[in-house]
PDB file of all heavy atoms in Angstrom:
ATOM      1  N   ARG V  49       6.954 133.481-110.853  1.00 98.00           N
ATOM      2  CA  ARG V  49       6.860 132.050-110.603  1.00 98.00           C
ATOM      3  C   ARG V  49       6.647 131.303-111.913  1.00 98.00           C
ATOM      4  O   ARG V  49       5.862 131.731-112.760  1.00 98.00           O
ATOM      5  CB  ARG V  49       5.671 131.835-109.673  1.00 98.00           C
ATOM      6  CG  ARG V  49       5.449 130.454-109.162  1.00 98.00           C
ATOM      7  CD  ARG V  49       4.289 130.529-108.161  1.00 98.00           C
ATOM      8  NE  ARG V  49       3.990 129.238-107.606  1.00 98.00           N
ATOM      9  CZ  ARG V  49       3.220 128.331-108.199  1.00 98.00           C
ATOM     10  NH1 ARG V  49       2.652 128.602-109.350  1.00 98.00           N
ATOM     11  NH2 ARG V  49       3.010 127.164-107.628  1.00 98.00           N
ATOM     12  N   TYR V  50       7.342 130.190-112.059  1.00 98.00           N
ATOM     13  CA  TYR V  50       7.173 129.340-113.240  1.00 98.00           C
ATOM     14  C   TYR V  50       7.056 127.904-112.791  1.00 98.00           C
ATOM     15  O   TYR V  50       7.944 127.359-112.153  1.00 98.00           O
ATOM     16  CB  TYR V  50       8.377 129.487-114.187  1.00 98.00           C
ATOM     17  CG  TYR V  50       8.289 128.600-115.392  1.00 98.00           C
ATOM     18  CD1 TYR V  50       7.577 128.985-116.517  1.00 98.00           C
ATOM     19  CD2 TYR V  50       8.911 127.356-115.397  1.00 98.00           C
ATOM     20  CE1 TYR V  50       7.478 128.148-117.623  1.00 98.00           C
ATOM     21  CE2 TYR V  50       8.820 126.513-116.504  1.00 98.00           C
ATOM     22  CZ  TYR V  50       8.098 126.919-117.605  1.00 98.00           C
ATOM     23  OH  TYR V  50       7.998 126.087-118.689  1.00 98.00           O
ATOM     24  N   LYS V  51       5.939 127.286-113.127  1.00 98.00           N
ATOM     25  CA  LYS V  51       5.730 125.883-112.773  1.00 98.00           C
ATOM     26  C   LYS V  51       5.930 125.047-114.034  1.00 98.00           C
ATOM     27  O   LYS V  51       5.241 125.244-115.039  1.00 98.00           O
ATOM     28  CB  LYS V  51       4.303 125.702-112.238  1.00 98.00           C
ATOM     29  CG  LYS V  51       3.909 124.252-112.028  1.00 98.00           C
ATOM     30  CD  LYS V  51       3.950 123.874-110.565  1.00 98.00           C
ATOM     31  CE  LYS V  51       3.631 122.398-110.352  1.00 98.00           C
ATOM     32  NZ  LYS V  51       2.221 122.077-110.412  1.00 98.00           N
ATOM     33  N   ALA V  52       6.877 124.125-113.973  1.00 98.00           N
ATOM     34  CA  ALA V  52       7.155 123.283-115.134  1.00 98.00           C
ATOM     35  C   ALA V  52       6.081 122.208-115.257  1.00 98.00           C
ATOM     36  O   ALA V  52       5.852 121.438-114.327  1.00 98.00           O
ATOM     37  CB  ALA V  52       8.529 122.647-115.000  1.00 98.00           C
ATOM     38  N   GLU V  53       5.421 122.161-116.414  1.00 97.00           N
ATOM     39  CA  GLU V  53       4.367 121.163-116.656  1.00 97.00           C
ATOM     40  C   GLU V  53       4.959 119.862-117.162  1.00 97.00           C
ATOM     41  O   GLU V  53       4.334 118.810-117.080  1.00 97.00           O
ATOM     42  CB  GLU V  53       3.353 121.701-117.670  1.00 97.00           C
ATOM     43  CG  GLU V  53       2.649 122.985-117.242  1.00 97.00           C
ATOM     44  CD  GLU V  53       1.807 122.799-115.987  1.00 97.00           C
ATOM     45  OE1 GLU V  53       1.440 121.650-115.667  1.00 97.00           O
ATOM     46  OE2 GLU V  53       1.530 123.815-115.324  1.00 97.00           O
ATOM     47  N   GLN V  54       6.168 119.950-117.721  1.00 98.00           N
ATOM     48  CA  GLN V  54       6.855 118.753-118.189  1.00 98.00           C
ATOM     49  C   GLN V  54       8.357 118.987-118.130  1.00 98.00           C
ATOM     50  O   GLN V  54       8.802 120.126-118.030  1.00 98.00           O
ATOM     51  CB  GLN V  54       6.422 118.400-119.608  1.00 98.00           C
ATOM     52  CG  GLN V  54       6.585 119.517-120.604  1.00 98.00           C
ATOM     53  CD  GLN V  54       5.979 119.158-121.956  1.00 98.00           C
ATOM     54  OE1 GLN V  54       5.719 118.001-122.263  1.00 98.00           O
ATOM     55  NE2 GLN V  54       5.745 120.156-122.788  1.00 98.00           N
ATOM     56  N   SER V  55       9.111 117.914-118.168  1.00 98.00           N
ATOM     57  CA  SER V  55      10.560 118.023-118.179  1.00 98.00           C
ATOM     58  C   SER V  55      10.992 118.358-119.601  1.00 98.00           C
ATOM     59  O   SER V  55      10.695 117.603-120.539  1.00 98.00           O
ATOM     60  CB  SER V  55      11.196 116.713-117.718  1.00 98.00           C
ATOM     61  OG  SER V  55      10.866 116.470-116.369  1.00 98.00           O
ATOM     62  N   GLU V  56      11.656 119.499-119.746  1.00 98.00           N
ATOM     63  CA  GLU V  56      12.058 119.971-121.071  1.00 98.00           C
ATOM     64  C   GLU V  56      13.062 121.100-120.908  1.00 98.00           C
ATOM     65  O   GLU V  56      13.311 121.573-119.799  1.00 98.00           O
ATOM     66  CB  GLU V  56      10.834 120.497-121.843  1.00 98.00           C
ATOM     67  CG  GLU V  56      10.163 121.680-121.142  1.00 98.00           C
ATOM     68  CD  GLU V  56       8.931 122.183-121.872  1.00 98.00           C
ATOM     69  OE1 GLU V  56       8.801 121.918-123.071  1.00 98.00           O
ATOM     70  OE2 GLU V  56       8.102 122.850-121.223  1.00 98.00           O
TER      71      GLU V  56
END
Side-chain angles (χ1 to χ4, degrees):
R49 186 175 180 277
Y50 178 84
K51 172 103 183 281
E53 300 297 339
Q54 55 187 343
S55 295
E56 61 182 339

